[in-house]
Each structure stands twice: as C-alpha cells, then as structure tokens.
C-alpha cells in the first residue's frame, strides 16, 4: 500500500495555526492558499481555526484543539506552525497517513546551522511504507484524528469567556532533570495511554522560515542518522 492508495476524500480536515501576533510567514500563506484551493477543487471539506495573542504555546495549542473539537465537525486536525511551508504532495501524504494511522507528521529542520531535526526516536528504521515511528516530534506539521484526541484522559481547566472547560492535551514539564516541550509531552501522553507512536513520512518536504529559509530535508539526513543510531 502507498499513500496514493489511501482515500483521503469523504473526511473533513481542520487546519489549526497558532499566530501570537496575528501574522504568519508569507511562504506559509502561499502554501495555505494553494492547499485550500486544491482541497476545494477535489471536493474535500476543510475548515480553519487559529489563535492569536497567546504567548504560551502549550496554552495556544490547547485552545486550538478546543476550537477544533467544539467549533468544527472535522475528522482530523492538521497542526501547522506559522513559519513552515509545504507543497501539495506533502500535504496529501500527511492526510493519507493520518487516515491510516490516526496520527502522523512531516519532519522539518530547526532554524539552525548545522541542520538539526527536533525528533525523539529509539529506532529510525523505516517500516514497509517508508515511514519512521517517532517517540516525539516538533508539532509544525502534524495530523491528529478526532477519535484519538477524544480517547485521551486529560485534565481540564476553565477560562473566562469560554463556554466549555478546556482539555489540557498539551503542557510543558520537567522530568528526570530534563525539560520537555508541549509537543514532546503530547507524544509521550499518546504513547502512554494508547501505545501509539507518531508516524513520520520522510518524503514530506518542508521548509522552516526565519532569517533565512531552512530547507534541509529529513529524508536526506535520515541515512546518516540511522548509521549513527545503529553504531555503523
């Protein structure tokens, strides 16, 4: 089975983007315009939620997820950071693997030189579809099913002006003398409660935009990372 054989139609997708100051990179906007236009052309229903003015990224992700669950009827939430860009092939690959696994991602380079990828994995060996199971990943290009989110047992908290309690899917923690961001902690939560690891497609090409465009591709560095991991 390849991603082309997985039917991504008949499902609804919600794109969720945090934007603290209300702005996103031009490259991200260009990818968005292209993507939603193509989704509409092929008859795939989509919606969009965003949060601005919240400088706490864990809180912002919780509020985005809350809006996805309560304000849309979409089957999948596609988490996209406002400084990441992608192409149509990468987006459809993400949707396909989301439909198969309920939880998948693309991997992008951090905005640093030399190249660094924000991942945590005990074994980077690709599966029969070429995907890599990760214990944790940066959340700039991730798909999560509504079903998976609703299966998780998490605490809730109240926020003034919000009708329903907000579920705390995302949080930062300090454990074993180490700091873990909200994305890595979410991956740990999912694995702990469901046994699932997030499935990464190395063929998804992503750019990370800052003072320059960081286009180092995960698929190009994966062989070297595998050698290092296996001690070759």
């Amino acid at each position: 089975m390849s991603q082309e054989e997985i039917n991504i139609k008949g499902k609804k997708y919600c794109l969720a983007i945090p934007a603290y100051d209300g702005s996103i990179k031009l490259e991200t906007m260009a990818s968005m315009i292209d993507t939603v236009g193509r989704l509409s052309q092929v008859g795939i229903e989509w919606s969009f939620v965003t949060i601005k003015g919240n400088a706490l990224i864990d809180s912002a992700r919780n509020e985005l997820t809350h809006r996805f669950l309560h304000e849309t009827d979409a089957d999948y939430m596609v988490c996209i950071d406002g400084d990441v860009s992608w192409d149509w092939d990468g987006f459809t690959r993400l949707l396909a693997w989301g439909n198969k696994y309920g939880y998948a991602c693309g991997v992008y380079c951090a905005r640093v030189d030399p190249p660094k990828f924000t991942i945590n994995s005990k074994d980077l060996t690709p599966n029969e579809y070429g995907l890599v199971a990760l214990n944790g990943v940066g959340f700039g290009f991730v798909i999560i099913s509504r079903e998976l989110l609703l299966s998780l047992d998490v605490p809730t908290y109240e926020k003034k002006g919000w009708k329903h309690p907000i579920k705390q899917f995302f949080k930062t923690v300090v454990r074993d003398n180490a700091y873990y961001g909200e994305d890595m902690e979410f991956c740990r939560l999912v694995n702990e409660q469901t046994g699932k690891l997030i499935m990464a497609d190395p063929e998804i090409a992503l750019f990370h935009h800052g003072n320059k465009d960081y286009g180092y591709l995960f698929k190009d560095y994966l062989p070297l990372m595998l050698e290092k991991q296996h001690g070759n």
Side-chain angles (χ1 to χ4, degrees), residues 171-181 185:
K171 63 180 180 179
T172 59
V173 301
V174 174
R175 184 185 304 107
D176 300 327
N177 205 34
Y179 175 88
Y180 294 90
E185 182 63 12

Side-chain angles (χ1 to χ4, degrees), residues 163-215:
K163 184 177 180 181
H164 303 285
I166 298 172
K167 290 188 174 184
Q168 190 185 30
F169 293 105
F170 297 92
K171 63 180 180 179
T172 59
V173 301
V174 174
R175 184 185 304 107
D176 300 327
N177 205 34
Y179 175 88
Y180 294 90
E182 84 296 334
D183 38 20
M184 294 292 180
E185 182 63 12
F186 178 85
C187 293
R188 186 202 64 81
L189 170 72
V190 171
N191 180 246
E192 184 178 81
Q193 294 194 12
T194 72
K196 286 179 175 286
L197 297 177
I198 190 164
M199 303 304 296
D201 183 354
E203 293 296 325
I204 294 176
L206 300 173
F207 283 77
H208 201 183
H209 304 280
N211 293 329
K212 75 169 196 175
D213 300 331
Y214 293 84

Side-chain angles (χ1 to χ4, degrees), residues 140-178:
F141 203 69
V142 170
I143 186 169
I144 313 169
S145 71
R146 178 182 292 266
E147 181 181 11
L148 175 60
L149 286 167
L150 293 178
S151 74
L152 299 175
D153 182 18
V154 295
T156 63
Y157 58 94
E158 303 282 346
K159 183 170 182 177
K160 186 177 180 180
W162 291 64
K163 184 177 180 181
H164 303 285
I166 298 172
K167 290 188 174 184
Q168 190 185 30
F169 293 105
F170 297 92
K171 63 180 180 179
T172 59
V173 301
V174 174
R175 184 185 304 107
D176 300 327
N177 205 34

Side-chain angles (χ1 to χ4, degrees), residues 15-159:
L15 285 66
I17 300 183
Y20 169 64
D21 61 356
S23 65
I24 63 175
K25 293 292 185 181
L26 288 175
E27 295 87 353
T28 305
M29 179 57 70
S31 290
M32 280 284 297
I33 292 171
D34 179 68
T35 294
V36 299
R38 290 174 182 260
L39 288 172
S40 298
Q41 285 176 0
V42 298
I44 295 176
E45 292 189 52
W46 60 274
S47 55
F48 176 75
V49 294
T50 189
I51 291 291
K52 68 177 182 177
N54 191 339
L56 303 175
I57 189 58
D58 55 337
S59 175
R61 292 203 193 281
N62 284 324
E63 292 176 7
L64 283 170
T65 306
H66 181 90
R67 293 193 62 192
F68 160 70
L69 292 173
H70 291 276
E71 298 178 15
T72 82
D73 63 349
D75 303 288
Y76 294 90
M77 178 172 68
V78 182
C79 302
I80 300 173
D81 281 354
D83 56 2
V84 173
S85 65
W86 62 95
D87 60 19
W88 177 242
D89 177 71
F91 193 82
T92 56
R93 293 181 78 95
L94 184 71
L95 299 193
W97 299 128
N99 274 268
K100 179 170 178 57
Y101 294 104
Y103 182 45
C105 67
V107 179
Y108 52 93
C109 181
R111 294 182 299 185
V112 296
D113 287 303
K116 179 181 178 181
F117 298 90
T118 307
I119 61 171
N120 180 16
S121 176
K122 295 178 180 178
D123 186 0
L124 288 167
T125 304
N127 68 8
E128 64 269 36
Y129 308 120
L131 273 65
V132 177
L134 300 179
N135 297 81
V137 69
F139 253 57
F141 203 69
V142 170
I143 186 169
I144 313 169
S145 71
R146 178 182 292 266
E147 181 181 11
L148 175 60
L149 286 167
L150 293 178
S151 74
L152 299 175
D153 182 18
V154 295
T156 63
Y157 58 94
E158 303 282 346
K159 183 170 182 177

